[in-house]
Amino acid sequence: IRLLKKEGADVQVIVTPMARDFVTPLTLSTLTEKPVLTNFFDKAEGSWTSHVDLGLWADLFLLAPLSANTMAKIAGGVADNLLLTTILSARCPVYFAPAMDLDMYKHPSTSENINKLKSFGYHLIDPVEGELASGLKGVGRLEEPGAIFEILKDALTSSSVFAGKKILVTAGPTYEPVDPVRFIGNYSSGRMGIEIAMAFAEQGASVDLILGPSAIPVEHPLINVIPVTTAHEMYEQCILLFPQSEVTVMTAAVADFTPAKPAGQKIKKETQLEQIKLKPAVDILKKLGGLKQDNQVLVGFALETDDAEVNAQLKLKNKNLDLIVLNSLIDEGAGFGHSTNKVMIFTRTNKRVEFKLKSKKEVAGDILNAIKEFV
Ligand code: CTP
């Protein structure tokens, strides 16, 4: 509260009845210079607090420290105190910073509730590791006030260039059927593309995510997931959605070849199958590059093993891209199946940036920053 006030913010505190046992309303009202709210009514005065007005008044809503109990109630839409009714009426961005004991934090119901809140579009401020109220050590400690303040300040001051933009992202592998039970695929998990879609959505863009078979759940109110299986299905969806898209990012690991004639029935052992005849799959990115208008931004990925930089730059030109992201296959912890990645970015304006090994979420942030040049 002190940091926000210092920056000129107008802060209204709502405490739950239980929180009043931890911190006195007087301490909080002294800091905010206004009454702290807990109840719907003041019986003595006959006045009541409008949760709808409060929810509409705020530019940002911070739930900190968010207990397991209040989080579960928010996840379930329970509205039995002023804080809970107000959050239901809020139209502004919501940030939540859980704080609880380590085992409570690890409990599957807590993970489920966190995912539920994230699916509402609420932003999670992860708890950190440290000493907990129980005396135990572990993850569950409220993030430091200074760090929370920085996140809120960023949220309030940066209005993203991507806010309100239409974005198309492809992600995941494709499965090319050999027969009804077998396919030719690849090891892509879809994580890099999903992180990119999330990063755009968190900046207020509306995202169509064409996703090949992936085990990763995607839930964000601004992301429309279009599941596909084959390269051809991905192509059809891309052709449909590309004309409206202002920025398109093709992270999918699309098959280059597909069985020429998938068998209608399961191929039996006795057939002595020696080879599967393949035909080229459509190069979706190249097609989109040919259709691209001046006001559209097109981003490709490249996965190379030899002459990586030269080949990536060739793809940038040949496919008429604004930017290409070169994935490392050599570095440990990078590429398919990892939660980290190491990339280089080349732009049509001849920029070349090399990044270190980072989480795929951070890599997504770097890629979005690079795309800003063309938006
Ligand atoms: N891509 C695509 N359609 C394909 C194959 C690839 O749209 N049939 C896209 C990928 O989504 C990626 C980019 O093209 O953004 C580069 O993919 P990559 O596999 O590295 O290269 P290819 O173009 O397939 O070329 P090569 O296999 O010769 O390296």
Side-chain angles (χ1 to χ4, degrees), residues 259-274:
K261 269 204 187 119
Q265 264 83 39
K266 186 184 169 205
I267 303 170
K268 302 293 283 178
K269 271 205 280 298
E270 296 84 66
T271 45
Q272 300 286 329
L273 183 73
E274 278 180 6

Side-chain angles (χ1 to χ4, degrees), residues 67-360:
S67 67
N69 183 41
T70 295
M71 180 153 58
K73 287 183 168 185
I74 294 173
V78 176
D80 66 355
N81 68 39
L82 184 64
L83 175 67
L84 296 167
T85 46
T86 308
I87 192 93
L88 285 174
S89 308
R91 288 193 192 162
C92 58
V94 176
Y95 285 73
F96 65 109
M100 63 196 75
D101 201 49
L102 78 168
D103 293 308
M104 290 173 86
Y105 187 64
K106 272 196 248 158
H107 197 281
S109 67
T110 305
S111 311
E112 256 177 39
N113 290 335
I114 286 180
N115 286 336
K116 194 87 189 275
L117 265 58
K118 278 163 80 177
S119 77
F120 300 159
Y122 296 1
H123 306 269
L124 169 67
I125 302 177
D126 284 307
V128 292
E129 201 171 333
E131 248 171 63
L132 305 167
S134 61
L136 295 172
K137 262 191 178 172
V139 178
R141 213 182 137 86
L142 181 71
E143 174 60 287
E144 290 302 322
I148 296 180
F149 168 71
E150 286 303 326
I151 292 169
L152 302 190
K153 195 172 151 191
D154 271 4
L156 285 167
T157 51
S158 77
S159 110
S160 166
V161 289
F162 298 120
K165 289 252 183 312
K166 281 288 280 174
I167 312 285
L168 176 61
V169 179
T170 66
T174 61
Y175 287 179
E176 306 303 314
V178 172
D179 69 14
V181 294
R182 305 181 179 95
F183 60 84
I184 298 175
N186 59 67
Y187 290 119
S188 165
S189 65
R191 185 175 301 281
M192 191 64 249
I194 290 171
E195 290 294 0
I196 290 174
M198 288 294 286
F200 275 119
E202 272 169 19
Q203 297 198 22
S206 107
V207 185
D208 285 318
L209 173 63
I210 305 176
L211 183 61
S214 166
I216 304 172
V218 190
E219 270 188 75
H220 192 290
L222 290 175
I223 303 181
N224 170 35
V225 181
I226 301 134
V228 294
T229 306
T230 64
H232 190 73
E233 285 169 17
M234 189 170 276
Y235 168 70
E236 285 181 332
Q237 292 300 326
C238 283
I239 291 299
L240 210 65
L241 295 167
F242 183 68
Q244 301 88 269
S245 166
E246 293 169 271
V247 179
T248 300
V249 185
M250 300 281 295
T251 56
V254 190
D256 288 323
F257 301 97
T258 184
K261 269 204 187 119
Q265 264 83 39
K266 186 184 169 205
I267 303 170
K268 302 293 283 178
K269 271 205 280 298
E270 296 84 66
T271 45
Q272 300 286 329
L273 183 73
E274 278 180 6
Q275 33 185 317
I276 299 166
K277 198 162 186 275
L278 302 175
K279 63 175 187 193
V282 55
D283 187 331
I284 306 171
L285 187 56
K286 194 160 185 186
K287 281 264 189 247
L288 299 186
L291 297 171
K292 184 166 100 85
Q293 304 292 310
D294 287 347
N295 57 356
Q296 290 183 299
V297 181
L298 186 57
V299 178
F301 269 65
L303 199 62
E304 305 288 345
T305 48
D306 309 301
D307 292 329
E309 290 196 35
V310 176
N311 279 326
Q313 279 161 301
L314 273 175
K315 273 180 199 167
L316 176 78
K317 273 219 177 67
N318 294 343
K319 299 191 183 188
N320 191 26
L321 311 179
D322 297 287
L323 189 151
I324 195 156
V325 183
L326 172 61
N327 260 307
S328 166
L329 267 186
I330 320 155
D331 295 277
E332 202 164 314
F336 285 171
H338 295 280
S339 59
T340 47
N341 203 5
K342 189 168 184 306
V343 302
M344 277 172 95
I345 293 179
F346 300 90
T347 67
R348 69 169 156 80
T349 48
N350 294 324
K351 291 206 179 93
R352 172 193 179 281
V353 195
E354 194 170 353
F355 296 91
K356 59 180 177 42
L357 187 76
K358 294 178 176 195
S359 72
K360 285 189 173 167

